[in-house]
Amino acid sequence: QVLKCSRREPSQAPYGVGTRLPSPLPSNPRCRDPIMFASRGARAPRWLYRGAISASKARTESSVGNVAEVVSGILQDVRQGGIAALDKYCLKYDRIPHKRLSESDIEGCLKACSSQELADVKYAQNNIRRFAQLQRDSMKDIEVETQPGVILGHKHLPIRNVGCYVPGGKFPMIASAHMSVLTAKVAGCERVLACTAPMLGGEPGRPPNLTIVAMHLAGADEIYLMGGAQAIAAMAYGTETIGGVDFIAGPSNAFVAEAKKQVFGKVGIDLLAGPTEMLLLCDDSVDAEITTADLLGQAEHGYNTPAILVTTSEKLAMDTIARIEQELKIIPTAETAAVSWRDWGEVIVVDSDAEMLEVADEIAGEHVQVMHRNWDYFKQNLRNYGGLFLGVETNVAYGDKVIGTNHTLPTQTSGRYTGGLWVGKFIKTHTYQHISKEASVEVGDYCSRLCGYENFAGHKEQADVRLRRWKPGYDTKYYEGSQNQTLLSRPGAK
């Protein structure tokens, strides 16, 4: 393959279409990706491999087309049609109407799980609860006298009604129950509604037993079998039998992420956590067996998972590409992982750790695994990411399932402006104030003038009425004129 490089629009074909690219690539300053690394000027990293779709879309774009229109239709139908509309979509996508699980249903799920499965779930939940509680304990209410007679404070109050979406279907995400339901309960939320889709295939309506058990053990107050955008609609708008919530949390596919985006405002949401992403930052201290496992470990999630290696070692880059090609012939989840790698995989070679850091900050990946002699450099300097996994000893699967940090993380570069789900997402911080009469006079003097500068006579009067009472001889003045240059006494001022 011969690389031909020219200026191109984002919609045009990439210069690497799911195949290896020649190395080294031309250093032509015009050969620069217009979608990514816009701040980099003439220099650009070298792609040794690039998936067909990853090169033609901006990282902020949804990986699925026509999502917004489809989701909008579902949300409006459920909002207007209630249970009838909800069940129309549940029958279409889940094969059964929605169902609230009874105590006996939950007991049946418990009995269907082995003692080892239950012990494993409890071990993971203990770790996640412990870390969430430490986070909660770090959030302190404050009350301070900021100047004589002025008391300011804030209180952290849990959101009362919360909905937790737990992905189901082909890959029932048991861990998402811990990450959302359990974390909400640690935060102190009074009512936590949890939902997940029934199992795919087999008898319609089969509950994902271990997921239901995880929801129950985490403290869910209501558990429903329902998935997809229609479940988000039911939680956001409520139905004849499902009480609406104030806040929705949980990861999932592009449709659920879009549904959360569209209901935001009616309810709060944790973040837009769409299809998973994997970014490896590596030097030559790690080998291709490890990098391959870590890339494909996330690529198996679905058909649209970006899996990216950025490295200073061209040998590691080439070895990883070759190893992935071999591994995809044998792993059980190759059906999904191979498509993600073909369409969304990337292998990028950079010249230095500083350049690696710059590239990583622009990618703003969800999961960033740093396998590097000096991983602390990235811990100290990386700014845009979802979760950070430092050193070869840990990996994303640990964080996804068991270690204690939350696995609901920002995707599609939203790590530029938000972190992931944590106990603080389920908590509102509210301020308050109270002051003495003496302080009211001091503050009121300033407030009165400041309101006058802005022509807010009503605001000004809130200060003035107190000054007339508590500051002897106070003469209320009003500003007149577009430039606030003339002061007039209040009519009838004493």
Side-chain angles (χ1 to χ4, degrees):
Q1 180 185 7
V2 177
L3 175 68
K4 295 182 178 180
C5 182
S6 61
R7 285 196 178 273
R8 59 183 177 87
E9 296 301 317
S11 59
Q12 290 180 295
Y15 39 73
V17 187
T19 55
R20 296 190 194 188
L21 300 176
S23 178
L25 297 186
S27 58
N28 181 351
R30 289 167 58 93
C31 183
R32 183 169 67 85
D33 180 50
I35 301 170
M36 184 177 156
F37 315 127
S39 68
R40 296 178 54 77
R43 297 185 64 230
R46 295 180 291 138
W47 274 268
L48 298 194
Y49 177 92
R50 197 166 194 196
I53 297 178
S54 70
S56 62
K57 279 182 175 286
R59 297 190 189 279
T60 53
E61 290 183 71
S62 171
S63 55
V64 181
N66 201 34
V67 173
E69 182 180 347
V70 171
V71 167
S72 177
I74 293 173
L75 295 180
Q76 291 308 311
D77 278 357
V78 175
R79 185 175 193 175
Q80 296 168 10
I83 287 177
L86 171 63
D87 284 342
K88 177 181 74 173
Y89 291 106
C90 286
L91 283 164
K92 179 177 180 179
Y93 297 114
D94 297 337
R95 303 188 296 159
I96 62 162
H98 88 284
K99 179 182 180 181
R100 178 173 178 175
L101 298 188
S102 65
E103 289 185 13
S104 62
D105 291 327
I106 295 169
E107 186 63 31
C109 293
L110 278 162
K111 291 178 178 178
C113 297
S114 69
S115 58
Q116 183 65 66
E117 289 172 328
L118 295 176
D120 290 344
V121 166
K122 290 176 181 178
Y123 174 83
Q125 289 197 350
N126 284 339
N127 288 341
I128 292 152
R129 183 182 293 107
R130 184 182 303 116
F131 189 66
Q133 188 62 59
L134 289 167
Q135 291 181 311
R136 179 64 185 92
D137 293 344
S138 74
M139 301 178 67
K140 305 296 184 183
D141 291 354
I142 62 170
E143 183 172 289
V144 181
E145 186 174 25
T146 58
Q147 61 192 77
V150 176
I151 309 298
L152 307 181
H154 73 225
K155 295 181 67 176
H156 297 300
L157 301 175
I159 300 169
R160 283 187 173 176
N161 293 296
V162 168
C164 296
Y165 187 93
V166 178
K170 184 175 182 179
F171 299 114
M173 297 276 286
I174 301 162
S176 289
H178 325 324
M179 304 298 176
S180 55
V181 177
L182 189 153
T183 307
K185 281 300 181 181
V186 171
C189 300
E190 293 178 14
R191 172 183 174 242
V192 177
L193 181 161
C195 67
T196 192
M199 297 292 288
L200 291 177
E203 185 70 20
R206 291 182 304 128
N209 293 318
L210 204 51
T211 302
I212 301 301
V213 167
M215 291 173 167
H216 172 68
L217 294 177
D221 300 290
E222 302 169 29
I223 300 176
Y224 293 84
L225 274 185
M226 59 180 183
Q230 65 271 20
I232 300 297
M235 291 191 288
Y237 304 124
T239 70
E240 297 92 324
T241 58
I242 300 173
V245 301
D246 301 313
F247 184 86
I248 296 175
S252 193
N253 60 26
F255 292 90
V256 170
E258 178 63 29
K260 288 169 64 180
K261 180 179 179 181
Q262 291 191 25
V263 300
F264 177 66
K266 174 66 173 67
V267 298
I269 63 171
D270 52 352
L271 64 153
L272 298 176
T276 194
E277 302 166 355
M278 185 66 193
L279 172 62
L280 300 186
L281 306 179
C282 304
D283 62 8
D284 62 2
S285 64
V286 67
D287 58 73
E289 181 182 22
I290 292 284
T291 55
T292 296
D294 289 345
L295 288 168
L296 295 184
Q298 292 300 302
E300 71 179 3
H301 264 279
Y303 301 106
N304 52 358
T305 299
I308 306 168
L309 168 64
V310 181
T311 180
T312 49
S313 169
E314 188 163 322
K315 180 180 185 303
L316 176 64
M318 300 304 294
D319 288 349
T320 299
I321 293 170
R323 181 89 184 203
I324 286 175
E325 291 172 358
Q326 294 303 310
E327 197 71 13
L328 286 173
K329 297 176 182 177
I330 59 175
I331 62 171
T333 51
E335 177 192 0
T336 52
V339 175
S340 282
W341 180 246
R342 181 196 68 199
D343 291 343
W344 296 94
E346 297 182 48
V347 175
I348 302 170
V349 176
V350 293
D351 294 331
S352 65
D353 292 346
E355 187 179 11
M356 188 187 298
L357 179 73
E358 185 180 356
V359 169
D361 262 335
E362 294 213 27
I363 293 174
E366 178 193 16
H367 303 104
V368 180
Q369 169 88 36
V370 183
M371 293 181 286
H372 193 286
R373 290 181 183 86
N374 186 19
W375 53 256
D376 188 65
Y377 168 77
F378 295 91
K379 176 187 172 186
Q380 299 301 327
N381 293 287
L382 196 62
R383 300 294 300 272
N384 303 329
Y385 58 91
L388 203 52
F389 304 82
L390 299 165
V392 71
E393 294 82 7
T394 191
N395 61 79
V396 173
Y398 290 0
D400 273 355
K401 310 302 177 188
V402 69
I403 206 167
T405 54
N406 206 290
H407 79 187
T408 304
L409 300 169
T411 62
Q412 294 178 283
T413 78
S414 57
R416 293 173 295 117
Y417 55 81
T418 186
L421 183 61
W422 70 295
V423 71
K425 290 279 189 178
F426 296 102
I427 292 172
K428 307 173 295 172
T429 302
H430 297 275
T431 61
Y432 62 87
Q433 58 179 269
H434 60 91
I435 65 176
S436 65
K437 288 182 180 179
E438 294 77 12
S440 184
V441 168
E442 178 183 341
V443 173
D445 258 336
Y446 287 95
C447 182
S448 177
R449 291 190 295 272
L450 289 164
C451 292
Y453 303 153
E454 297 177 354
N455 293 323
F456 277 124
H459 283 65
K460 187 176 187 299
E461 179 62 15
Q462 292 178 81
D464 288 343
V465 68
R466 289 163 173 82
L467 290 168
R468 290 196 299 272
R469 293 189 179 192
W470 300 327
K471 185 177 182 179
Y474 180 75
D475 179 14
T476 298
K477 300 288 187 179
Y478 285 113
Y479 287 89
E480 181 179 78
S482 60
Q483 300 303 314
N484 297 326
Q485 293 176 344
T486 305
L487 278 171
L488 302 177
S489 293
R490 175 184 171 90
K494 297 180 181 179

